[in-house]
Amino acid sequence: MSSLSRRKFLQGAAATSAVFPLFTIAGTKASGKVIGANDTIRIGVAGCGGRGSSHVEAWTSAEKVQVTYLIDPDPKQTAAKARYVGGRQQSTPKSVQNIRQALDDKELDAVSVATCNHWHSLITIWACQAGKDVYVEKPISHNVFEGRKCVEAAKKYNRVVQHGTQSRSSLNFARAIAAVQSGKYGQLLVSRGSASKPGKGRSSIGYQPFTTPPSDFDFNLWLGPAPLQPYHKNLHPYNWHWFWDTGNGEIGNQGVHQMDIARWAVKGKNLPTKVYSLGGRFLNDGPDQAQTPNMQMAVMEFGDGGPILLFEVRGLTGDKKRPDFPQDVTNEFYTSEGVIKGGDEGRRGGYMFHPKNGGAPQKLDVPEPKITVADAFPAFINAVRTRKPEDNNCDAEVAHYSAACCHLGNISYRLGAGTPGNYKDCEKITSQNKNKEVTTALEKIRDNCKAFSLPIDEMTWVIGPELTFDPAAERFTGDNAEAANKLLRRDYRAPFVVPETV
């Protein structure tokens, strides 16, 4: 796109935003009625792409649940889902581009959010203000500030807000956490999470030129809280994950699931006191325009000499030609007596304790955890009906802390982008932890890169500074605090503003 045509496009997009008035609240918009066991819950699905398909399938499979709205700036997405929903329930849902049209409907009970990350919090807050309950995909927020505002909104308006980290509704993971926290298998030293998987732009997304968005796609509305910018096909429908304005990289994509489990294991702690992150976007099939790392390691400390949370992202995995580096989407818990990790059944089952003396793996022996409904989507419907806080398997505050850990790791990484280093610099940083698992994680990234013939010693590594953090104030302190605190939130453009006061 030429500089002239790009300028005209931006001017036109800016003008478009003026036609959408700010959603105003005059009390709650919902009818205020109590939803009984026999009442139908009416849900609007916001975001009708890939993950939205799972939401639609779940809600149309549930009893006494009806999808009444499909919401997406891209009408091609809602059209396909409308046909599907119409074939599974007696009525066809309304299709709208603007979420505020759905929120104005007093008969709408809940919103199911499967949009891009940068819209998650604003829709959650608006829905709470309008008297709707919310099932929101991970991460609940695009930054730390937004997550806290979601917590405040859920509490102020007494709304059920459940997060799409489904592991909180899993007995398998609950048993593993119970075993870790019991102390029966030793003191927790390292809670490790890994979100290392192939495909969908994790190796390269190439370059797409700036162009005019499709005529029926409301790109300005799709951008919403994100800065105004020209359209290119790597933004929509999926590769937005790899741009800081709209996504949070893999640590904030698949990684939120494993981060949530890793943080869950660290008993009595919500947010770290120290964090650093390093890595890079290392490609085996040519350059691209993505911004987020596909190789990343984050290390977090929680104070008081407690355990380390270690997180890994390796995007160059799962290649059949590189069997030494298979997909690794796992959680492991290293204790003073051994390690609790998945057995032959893989990550969905079979957690066992492996003694450090090399003895036979042992089945976990802990009391059965209590989960009201051991399935995320039905658990949300149950919580909407009962209004009991204990029935919400993953509420807004739990969601906020786990998403925030991803954001904190990314903040360190982004601050390091201005002063890149090399692999030896990475070794110096990780050696300061004096922890075998941290060293091993860096070596896996190195060896994974070598397996794809990448020149380790010639590559530019991003090495983020170690940041100190005040978990109570949710602010950085000490060196680099000013720059780091600026990344706790973003500048919003009207009318898509996450408010200070919800």
Side-chain angles (χ1 to χ4, degrees), residues 172-185:
N172 172 54
F173 291 114
R175 291 187 194 103
I177 299 303
V180 172
Q181 296 185 349
S182 71
K184 181 176 181 178
Y185 300 98

Side-chain angles (χ1 to χ4, degrees), residues 124-397:
T124 296
I125 293 165
W126 282 351
C128 288
Q129 291 173 329
K132 320 300 183 186
D133 297 318
V134 184
Y135 184 100
V136 56
E137 270 303 332
K138 50 73 189 171
I140 192 173
S141 59
H142 187 255
N143 57 56
V144 175
F145 163 78
E146 292 181 354
R148 176 51 62 186
K149 295 303 153 182
C150 288
V151 176
E152 293 173 3
K155 182 177 181 180
K156 180 176 180 178
Y157 298 99
N158 193 28
R159 293 294 94 199
V160 174
V161 174
Q162 183 175 306
H163 198 222
T165 40
Q166 296 91 349
S167 299
R168 291 280 176 160
S169 299
S170 164
L171 282 169
N172 172 54
F173 291 114
R175 291 187 194 103
I177 299 303
V180 172
Q181 296 185 349
S182 71
K184 181 176 181 178
Y185 300 98
Q187 178 186 359
L188 179 64
L189 302 177
V190 177
S191 183
R192 173 188 174 270
S194 175
S196 301
K197 58 192 291 188
K200 289 192 174 182
R202 292 173 178 89
S203 58
S204 176
I205 62 173
Y207 275 89
Q208 293 289 345
F210 294 143
T211 185
T212 302
S215 59
D216 59 348
F217 174 43
D218 193 331
F219 181 55
N220 178 67
L221 187 60
W222 182 89
L223 283 173
L228 200 63
Q229 57 196 274
Y231 170 83
H232 58 84
K233 292 182 179 180
N234 262 335
L235 284 176
H236 178 70
Y238 185 81
N239 284 329
W240 54 265
H241 281 292
W242 324 126
F243 296 90
W244 293 121
D245 283 344
T246 51
N248 303 94
E250 187 67 344
I251 195 173
N253 181 29
Q254 174 63 49
V256 186
H257 292 289
Q258 282 64 54
M259 183 68 79
D260 180 56
I261 299 166
R263 190 189 66 79
W264 189 4
V266 182
K267 189 175 182 179
K269 302 291 184 180
N270 294 322
L271 292 169
T273 56
K274 291 183 180 180
V275 57
Y276 73 84
S277 180
L278 56 83
R281 189 162 185 87
F282 304 137
L283 308 171
N284 70 316
D285 50 2
D288 66 5
Q289 65 194 130
Q291 298 169 334
T292 63
N294 67 344
M295 293 284 193
Q296 185 178 10
M297 187 179 82
V299 180
M300 302 179 193
E301 299 178 16
F302 290 81
D304 303 324
I308 286 174
L309 190 156
L310 169 64
F311 205 86
E312 301 172 31
V313 168
R314 289 179 291 110
L316 302 180
T317 56
D319 191 319
K320 293 180 180 179
K321 298 178 180 178
R322 304 287 188 272
D324 291 344
F325 295 94
Q327 176 171 306
D328 181 17
V329 181
T330 54
N331 282 88
E332 297 174 339
F333 312 99
Y334 293 83
T335 75
S336 56
E337 304 302 321
V339 57
I340 295 173
K341 60 182 180 179
D344 294 338
E345 295 178 70
R347 74 182 185 93
R348 295 187 183 277
Y351 268 97
M352 301 182 77
F353 174 65
H354 299 251
K356 68 178 181 180
N357 61 11
Q362 305 168 14
K363 290 185 178 180
L364 301 181
D365 183 15
V366 293
E368 187 72 354
K370 293 181 180 179
I371 295 179
T372 305
V373 179
D375 195 322
F377 289 114
F380 172 69
I381 297 301
N382 180 65
V384 167
R385 294 192 188 281
T386 68
R387 317 306 299 179
K388 296 179 180 179
E390 62 270 24
D391 286 349
N392 189 340
N393 289 345
C394 190
D395 64 22
E397 190 160 28

